[in-house]
Amino acid sequence: MTEYKNMTKEELLNEREALLKRYNEYKARGLKLDMSRGKPGSDQLELSMGLLDDPDYVVDGIDLRNYGILEGIPSCRKLFADLLGVEPKNILIGPNASLSLMFDYMAQCYSHGACGNTPWSKLENVKFLCPVPGYDRHFTILEYFNIEMINVPMTDEGPDMDTVEELIKDESVKGMFCVPKYSNPQGITYSDAVVRRIAKMKPAAKDFRVIWDNAYCIHDIYEQSDELLNIFDVLSEYGNDDMVIEVCSTSKMTFPGAGISALAASDNNITDILRRLNCQTISYDKMNQYRHVKFFGDVKGIEEHMKKHAAILKPKFEMVLSHLENELGGLGIASWIKPRGGYFISLDVMEGTAKRTGELCKEAGVTLTNVGATYPYGRDPKDSNIRIAPSLPPVNELDIAAQILCVSARLAAIERILEK
């Protein structure tokens, strides 16, 4: 394929005419295809229907139907401790969404401070580091609390740590959000070197917190999966045990709206969080905790269950990647990363054309994640990043949606070039 930048104006006009013919044929179908969020497809949800079998309700001498056990039932804490590689005493079991755990922890720091430090609400400036492109809901939390967001570019090994280490010299920088395995949206897993550099940071702020959103800790798609260094194995080497708050959930393991979440942290942080939880709730859903323990059994059970998810997701990811390669490869207008797991494909189209690509997709019946959502305040400085979520549509619908996306990206690029 000839790169668009090397085509003559006449060649570009001919190319546009051919693409518009295809585009208008798609548009005429009146399609409604959704690639906006990383929702599991209905075939994935069917994998967990066994959860709905009636569980026992007295476990370890605990009547699960009653009040109490604020930190979560012991068997569930052990299940997540084994999954995350920490001690059960350093695990708290939460509600259905890890997003709630992150929001509540940020609210705690904002109103009461972290482990006895000054509440962030009483400080003149509070800033957070945001690896970009990143997860829009992290940015939404920060924006809710009026916390200033600072972009940190991602590399193929994780956040640009030279930038991070410079920025944390500012005492008003209070933390950083991270998705360390199969990052949202790029699918990058932090290298051992990056994990260690994060673990040994010496921020000016004593209450600096890394929110380690390990949402895709076991969400491999290929047998050759990525390995993430357990940050809790190295924090103590640098005297930073209290710096990391890790969260995960079963949202994309079982039922997104009816799963369980977990938080892993140091002894000091666990004590601090329990003090707040004692005022916030009596206990989370112990019946659901036990349903999950009974359903999975142990970490091996989770691994086997996730292989079933991978078998459904793999052809969907490969479908999209195949269209990207066949339609956009060699044109010099787009780049992407082939992830080994997670839920997204990050597509970078020609600078200045992402919003236009999104508009064209929408007109043709394809809903994408809002263009710009992968950056704080919804502002992608290059207007180039598009997050693709292949999981929800059936393969036949995904096939059409991916074609429309590629044609839209090509049309937007030609429009941009012809404008110059």
Side-chain angles (χ1 to χ4, degrees), residues 4 19 328 333-334 347 349-350 353 356-358 360-361 386 403-415:
Y4 280 0
L19 289 167
L328 302 179
I333 62 169
L347 172 66
V349 294
M350 177 182 283
T353 67
R356 178 58 179 153
T357 299
L360 288 166
C361 283
I386 294 173
Q403 291 179 55
I404 292 172
L405 170 60
C406 291
V407 169
S408 298
R410 291 169 70 176
L411 281 169
I414 290 173
E415 288 178 6

Side-chain angles (χ1 to χ4, degrees), residues 193-229:
V194 164
V195 174
R196 284 192 169 276
R197 284 181 75 173
I198 292 172
K200 70 178 183 180
M201 291 189 301
K202 296 299 179 186
K206 294 179 181 178
D207 53 349
F208 186 96
R209 291 293 184 270
V210 176
I211 309 299
W212 200 248
D213 185 0
N214 206 354
Y216 309 111
C217 57
I218 198 165
H219 296 65
D220 306 312
I221 294 175
Y222 296 92
E223 286 188 16
Q224 186 180 3
S225 59
D226 291 353
E227 295 294 329
L228 175 69
L229 178 64

Side-chain angles (χ1 to χ4, degrees), residues 235-305:
L235 283 169
S236 59
E237 295 178 24
Y238 307 104
N240 278 335
D241 302 70
D242 294 340
M243 191 172 66
V244 173
I245 304 292
E246 181 174 16
V247 298
C248 71
S249 76
T250 65
S251 288
K252 291 180 174 66
M253 299 181 193
T254 56
F255 302 133
I260 49 175
S261 59
L263 181 149
S266 67
D267 292 350
N268 288 337
N269 280 315
I270 292 291
T271 299
D272 200 36
I273 293 167
L274 280 173
R275 189 178 299 116
R276 182 251 304 166
L277 278 178
N278 191 51
C279 303
Q280 180 176 344
T281 186
I282 302 300
S283 65
Y284 291 114
D285 188 343
K286 297 186 293 296
M287 297 286 281
N288 200 25
Q289 292 171 27
Y290 185 64
R291 285 188 197 103
H292 281 74
V293 173
K294 186 177 181 182
F295 182 70
F296 288 130
D298 54 22
V299 170
K300 285 289 184 185
I302 297 178
E303 290 171 353
E304 290 304 311
H305 182 72

Side-chain angles (χ1 to χ4, degrees), residues 19 26 31 34-35 48 76 109 134 156 172 183 272 281 290 292 295 300 320 343 345 348 352 377 383 386 403:
L19 289 167
Y26 292 132
L31 301 168
D34 189 355
M35 292 199 296
S48 302
C76 196
C109 291
D156 58 5
S172 67
S183 67
D272 200 36
T281 186
Y290 185 64
H292 281 74
F295 182 70
K300 285 289 184 185
V320 173
Y343 256 68
I345 297 169
D348 285 313
Y377 311 107
D383 184 24
I386 294 173
Q403 291 179 55

Side-chain angles (χ1 to χ4, degrees), residues 14-58:
N14 289 336
E15 175 84 348
R16 183 175 68 175
E17 184 177 352
L19 289 167
L20 278 171
K21 183 179 178 182
R22 285 180 62 192
Y23 177 78
N24 287 325
E25 288 173 354
Y26 292 132
K27 191 174 177 180
R29 297 188 191 185
L31 301 168
K32 291 185 179 180
L33 308 175
D34 189 355
M35 292 199 296
S36 61
R37 300 216 69 88
K39 295 180 181 178
S42 58
D43 46 359
Q44 291 178 262
L45 300 177
E46 287 293 326
L47 297 174
S48 302
M49 292 304 291
L51 267 170
L52 301 181
D53 295 340
D54 290 339
D56 299 327
Y57 56 84
V58 177

Side-chain angles (χ1 to χ4, degrees), residues 7 17 30 47 49 64 72 124 130 140 166 175 187 200 221 238 249 270 284 323 332 337 348 367 380 384 396 402 415:
M7 286 186 178
E17 184 177 352
L47 297 174
M49 292 304 291
L64 304 178
E124 186 175 346
C130 300
T140 302
E166 184 63 31
K200 70 178 183 180
I221 294 175
Y238 307 104
S249 76
I270 292 291
Y284 291 114
H323 280 301
I337 297 170
D348 285 313
T367 302
D380 176 355
S384 64
N396 62 321
E415 288 178 6

